[in-house]
Amino acid sequence: MNTTTSVIDRLRARIGHDGPPVEAVVEAGHLMRFVEAIGDPNPRWAQEAPPTFLVALAPASMHLAEAEEYGKGWLNGGNRFEYFEPVKVGDRITATGRVADVYEKTGSSGSLLFIIFETEYVNQHGRTVARLRGTAIRR
Amino acid sequence: MTMKVGDEIPELVKHPTTRQLVQYAGAQGDFYEIHYDQAYAQSVGLPGVILHGLLKAGFLGQLVTDWLGDRGTLKTFEVSYRGIDQPGRPYACRGRVTKVDGDQVELEVWGEDSAGNRTTVGAATVGMKG
């Protein structure tokens, strides 16, 4: 078995298993730094999280050290958010991530490894506020 | 206000700088070196530091929420990164209505580099207030 196959097999063994939950409180100062970095002056974000803020609250992908044996760098392929309830200052959010899929694609410029992550965000009332699906690529 | 297919979302042009990438790295907690270390970025085959995909998603999120205001709520928002973008070049965010079904409106959104390439493409679904 070559290294590449072994990395993919080890990553595939993680599919469907939840990573450790990450808990974080939505802080006004953090929201302010986040929207300042985007350059979004909407006063609404003093109290409420803008569409992509959840990725700053908890990592959008699990750290998979073995994936770094493949290729030489990471690329973000895409992100899909689904929203159920607003996220406000003071909310205590628990994020739970899992690997949803792992596959390799070979094209004219070489091989790429795709890792699909899913994260579910639940608030202090036990309600799911959002879900995120992300595609991480090793090239 | 009634919406119809083809309605355009007012353009939002961003002027990202390396400083902004560092600011965003700190605010998101993404310290991958390709976003602020020129030598590192070049060592992995990039022309230099590049924008975080999620920063471009943040720009497109702003495009949608500026347009939507309090007329409705965002239900889904997705972006796909098709190309890299470097700081020091303008980044234009655009979009239009692709479907209107009762109080549910679908949009396509995209970000263009200064040569007009759509380096980020995406979509959003909003629920309009009745």
Side-chain angles (χ1 to χ4, degrees):
Chain A
M1 186 185 286
N2 65 38
T3 311
T4 301
T5 310
S6 150
V7 169
I8 296 168
D9 287 346
R10 278 183 285 150
L11 288 169
R12 287 195 64 85
R14 291 180 178 257
I15 293 174
H17 300 286
D18 285 355
V22 176
E23 196 179 275
V25 173
V26 179
E27 294 167 353
H30 189 193
L31 267 181
M32 188 179 73
R33 290 197 309 279
F34 187 80
V35 295
E36 275 179 5
I38 290 173
D40 183 347
N42 194 333
R44 176 178 167 185
W45 312 135
Q47 289 299 322
E48 188 187 336
T52 59
F53 178 73
L54 287 166
V55 300
L57 206 57
S61 57
M62 296 154 68
H63 179 68
L64 300 174
E66 64 263 46
E68 295 183 352
E69 294 170 28
Y70 187 105
K72 58 182 179 179
W74 288 102
L75 284 177
N76 185 349
N79 298 98
R80 181 179 198 276
F81 297 85
E82 195 176 358
Y83 306 102
F84 304 102
E85 291 200 25
V87 174
K88 307 254 181 175
V89 168
D91 281 353
R92 179 177 293 275
I93 305 292
T94 303
T96 308
R98 68 188 68 86
V99 176
D101 204 0
V102 177
Y103 54 91
E104 189 179 33
K105 273 189 188 171
T106 303
S108 53
S109 59
S111 295
L112 300 170
L113 177 67
F114 290 75
I115 304 172
I116 313 298
F117 290 100
E118 283 175 352
T119 309
E120 182 167 19
Y121 301 90
V122 177
N123 68 12
Q124 68 274 24
H125 307 296
R127 294 197 295 266
T128 299
V129 293
R131 288 200 186 96
L132 170 64
R133 193 175 165 91
T135 304
I137 303 170
R138 285 293 296 179
R139 61 174 188 99
Chain B
M1 179 185 142
T2 310
M3 288 183 198
K4 59 183 191 305
V5 172
D7 282 356
E8 289 192 9
I9 299 174
E11 183 185 56
L12 173 69
V13 182
K14 292 290 193 172
H15 298 275
T17 58
T18 306
R19 179 193 175 96
Q20 185 172 18
L21 302 194
V22 173
Q23 237 185 324
Y24 186 78
Q28 194 206 306
D30 177 350
F31 294 103
Y32 190 27
E33 292 84 349
I34 61 170
H35 304 299
Y36 55 85
D37 182 336
Q38 297 287 0
Y40 183 92
Q42 286 164 1
S43 78
V44 294
L46 295 167
V49 299
I50 62 168
L51 272 61
H52 299 74
L54 279 160
L55 175 58
K56 296 191 279 185
F59 294 162
L60 290 168
Q62 181 184 353
L63 174 86
V64 173
T65 52
D66 277 356
W67 166 82
L68 184 61
D70 59 4
R71 297 177 299 162
T73 53
L74 192 56
K75 301 292 184 191
T76 66
F77 175 54
E78 61 186 273
V79 286
S80 181
Y81 312 110
R82 300 284 173 82
I84 58 168
D85 289 282
Q86 295 177 260
R89 301 170 188 190
Y91 197 72
C93 301
R94 300 202 168 98
R96 63 185 185 95
V97 174
T98 52
K99 190 176 174 186
V100 179
D101 182 7
D103 60 3
Q104 184 156 303
V105 174
E106 294 179 19
L107 315 170
E108 67 168 338
V109 294
W110 65 92
E112 285 178 16
D113 64 17
S114 49
N117 301 306
R118 294 187 182 193
T119 55
T120 307
V121 295
T125 312
V126 299
M128 305 303 292
K129 285 180 184 164

